[in-house]
Amino acid sequence: MPILSTSVGLTRYRVLEEVEDDLIRSIPDLLLKFAFKDIDHTAEERSFGWVNMDEMLDDKWNVSPPEKGQYYTFALRLDTRRIQPAVLKKHLQIALNHELEEAKKEGKNFISRDRKRELKDQVTLKLRARSLPIPAMFDVVWNAPENKIYFTCTNSKVMEMFEEYFTDTFNLTLEPLTPFFLAMNMLGEDAAQKLESLDPTYFVA
Amino acid sequence: MDLLLLAERENTLLGQDFLTWLWFKSEMSDGQFQLDDGERFLLFMEQRMSVQGGEGENVDTATVNSSSGDMTEVLMGLKTGKKVNRAQIRMEIDENEWQVQIKAEDFGLSGLKTPKVEMKDEEGDDPDSKFLEKIYLIEKCLSLLDSVYMDFIKIRISKEWQDEVSKFRHWLRNDED
């Protein structure tokens, strides 16, 4: 699990809503419901969902439960098929050449723009079916009693995906603990006005 | 104003003010800080730092990565009005040491290194013990960072901030002596 790595990248969140005990108890069921679905035998470009933090292949939490001490742990697994641009270029050229030969037999000397686009889609799909998805894992640690969530990623696209999928799964909203929200969290809503109207500091006279 | 847009402005403002102040603060106090419960720890900014200035399309950044800890170039940046936007921070309690890089605008943490956690499995060990030790050490690191941020934010929104800035300017000037 990435969180045990010597060097960890981390983003912090808190849950905006009040989290009921019932919801906490239903975390394991919701994780199952929104678990990762394998795309090895399809041509899908991308798939993501929750898996066991201890084992990326365990989407049923057979290996271990999500509870570890006071924490709920799981991981966002993201599998992506990538086709090298050079590979696509080559196979598209092969397909275009073939198409042109066929067209010549019918006395035509060109391929329409629409047909080119269609061919590109077909080639992409064919290559995708032949390439293996690349898996990635990002750990999620939910310290429920303290209403804190740690996500082992600082890539904004992955973070956005995580935030949305977390909301879809638990019907809760995550607030990233960036400088402003962390300060609000520490000082309480009363400090909002002060924090919102700060002027930048000029450290040199 | 849209809350997220506002937050973006405030995030950069607070994050950069914080890291810039933290450098001065740790230099002034020889790295000594204290948690609310009285526990003492050391905090230094070292090796890697970058400063940023300007606005919009005219943002200038200067980055230093110095194993000898020579920060002259980023100090030069501060003197021309730039602020710290990325820093590497080292924290120590007794023999324990943490290291982390922090980004001003969103407090994204990278390269977070905790004191070593024994990865070998011993018979009869709780299978979660490695994780629990690691998360304890990570949360410890976050609590140290939060504690200095809390120190900063209290003074930042108070009337004393201008005094603090004067002290900062004095420190920056004295560096030349």
Side-chain angles (χ1 to χ4, degrees):
Chain A
M1 52 181 113
I3 196 133
L4 287 186
S5 314
T6 320
S7 174
V8 186
L10 209 67
T11 304
R12 288 202 277 171
Y13 295 93
R14 76 179 182 112
V15 178
L16 276 186
E17 298 85 358
E18 188 84 26
V19 185
E20 307 285 337
D21 285 351
D22 277 355
L23 179 67
I24 298 283
R25 276 192 293 273
S26 67
I27 291 176
D29 292 335
L30 290 169
L31 288 174
L32 270 177
K33 198 174 157 195
F34 287 82
F36 174 80
K37 285 183 186 60
D38 205 275
I39 50 166
D40 274 6
H41 305 290
T42 71
E44 295 282 324
E45 191 177 4
R46 188 177 83 159
S47 176
F48 59 89
W50 311 122
V51 291
N52 189 336
M53 186 165 94
D54 290 324
E55 153 83 65
M56 77 150 68
L57 300 179
D58 184 16
D59 52 12
K60 304 216 162 32
W61 281 264
N62 290 327
V63 174
S64 56
E67 299 96 327
K68 295 185 196 297
Q70 63 171 324
Y71 305 92
Y72 281 85
T73 64
F74 40 101
L76 178 72
R77 179 171 156 191
L78 165 65
D79 280 25
T80 321
R81 280 193 162 83
R82 288 192 198 98
I83 303 166
Q84 295 283 339
V87 176
L88 179 64
K89 197 177 166 192
K90 175 186 144 185
H91 286 270
L92 184 59
Q93 194 59 55
I94 293 172
L96 286 171
N97 289 349
H98 179 75
E99 183 80 5
L100 201 61
E101 269 174 40
E102 294 295 309
K104 275 180 184 163
K105 284 180 197 164
E106 290 168 21
K108 281 194 288 182
N109 213 6
F110 68 97
I111 306 168
S112 73
R113 191 184 281 249
D114 282 351
R115 181 61 187 151
K116 274 185 187 165
R117 199 174 297 138
E118 211 174 284
L119 278 172
K120 192 175 177 183
D121 288 347
Q122 282 174 12
V123 171
T124 308
L125 203 66
K126 213 163 76 186
L127 290 175
R128 229 192 258 150
R130 285 171 62 186
S131 72
L132 287 171
I134 304 161
M137 278 259 281
F138 308 96
D139 288 346
V140 184
V141 178
W142 189 346
N143 181 340
E146 292 186 22
N147 186 25
K148 283 175 184 160
I149 287 175
Y150 312 114
F151 182 54
T152 60
C153 180
T154 52
N155 174 300
S156 57
K157 276 189 187 156
V158 179
M159 280 158 61
E160 207 175 298
M161 178 188 288
F162 164 66
E163 289 160 26
E164 278 175 24
Y165 203 58
F166 187 93
T167 301
D168 290 347
T169 308
F170 303 108
N171 201 18
L172 297 170
T173 322
L174 290 177
E175 181 180 86
L177 290 175
T178 55
F180 176 67
F181 290 116
L182 184 61
M184 286 267 275
N185 200 19
M186 283 171 164
L187 300 175
E189 300 287 323
D190 296 346
Q193 216 187 340
K194 271 188 175 169
L195 287 168
E196 282 169 7
S197 55
L198 289 175
D199 292 320
T201 306
Y202 296 99
F203 285 100
V204 281
Chain B
M1 200 193 288
D2 183 281
L3 183 67
L4 280 176
L5 266 179
L6 174 82
E8 205 176 298
R9 171 189 174 267
E10 300 298 315
N11 277 332
T12 307
L13 190 156
L14 284 168
Q16 292 192 353
D17 277 10
F18 169 59
L19 290 183
T20 309
W21 169 85
L22 187 58
W23 189 13
F24 145 79
K25 203 70 188 171
S26 76
E27 294 267 316
M28 292 297 285
S29 67
D30 286 328
Q32 305 220 29
F33 290 85
Q34 203 170 348
L35 288 171
D36 273 351
D37 64 6
E39 187 178 25
R40 289 168 187 277
F41 63 99
L42 292 172
L43 182 149
F44 301 99
M45 290 169 82
E46 58 171 28
Q47 199 173 344
R48 282 181 214 196
M49 206 181 312
S50 89
V51 287
Q52 199 171 64
E55 267 177 43
E57 287 178 3
N58 300 314
V59 171
D60 291 328
T61 311
T63 304
V64 168
N65 188 354
S66 155
S67 49
S68 67
D70 180 6
M71 291 291 153
T72 316
E73 283 168 52
V74 284
L75 268 173
M76 284 299 293
L78 285 192
K79 286 174 187 165
T80 59
K82 291 193 176 69
K83 296 182 189 186
V84 180
N85 73 323
R86 263 158 219 254
Q88 179 164 305
I89 293 174
R90 179 163 55 90
M91 287 161 286
E92 287 173 32
I93 299 177
D94 301 324
E95 300 291 296
N96 291 320
E97 192 179 308
W98 289 261
Q99 197 187 71
V100 66
Q101 281 122 49
I102 183 165
K103 220 162 78 183
E105 66 265 29
D106 58 6
F107 279 174
L109 303 171
S110 54
L112 169 56
K113 291 179 183 149
T114 64
K116 207 169 182 311
V117 173
E118 186 53 67
M119 284 297 163
K120 261 191 251 158
D121 280 313
E122 301 268 338
E123 217 178 298
D125 271 1
D126 175 349
D128 295 337
S129 62
K130 286 189 291 257
F131 165 78
L132 291 171
E133 189 180 345
K134 184 76 178 184
I135 197 72
Y136 167 78
L137 291 168
I138 288 176
E139 291 197 315
K140 186 76 192 180
C141 170
L142 297 173
S143 73
L144 301 180
L145 286 175
D146 281 357
S147 134
V148 287
Y149 188 59
M150 186 72 173
D151 289 347
F152 160 78
I153 207 79
K154 275 194 210 150
I155 187 161
R156 181 63 182 83
I157 60 168
S158 76
K159 288 198 182 78
E160 288 148 49
W161 182 243
Q162 275 318 313
D163 286 348
E164 195 76 357
V165 173
S166 306
K167 286 182 205 158
F168 182 98
R169 288 175 182 164
H170 186 70
W171 166 74
L172 200 60
R173 274 196 304 271
N174 267 17
D175 177 70
E176 287 163 4
D177 303 335

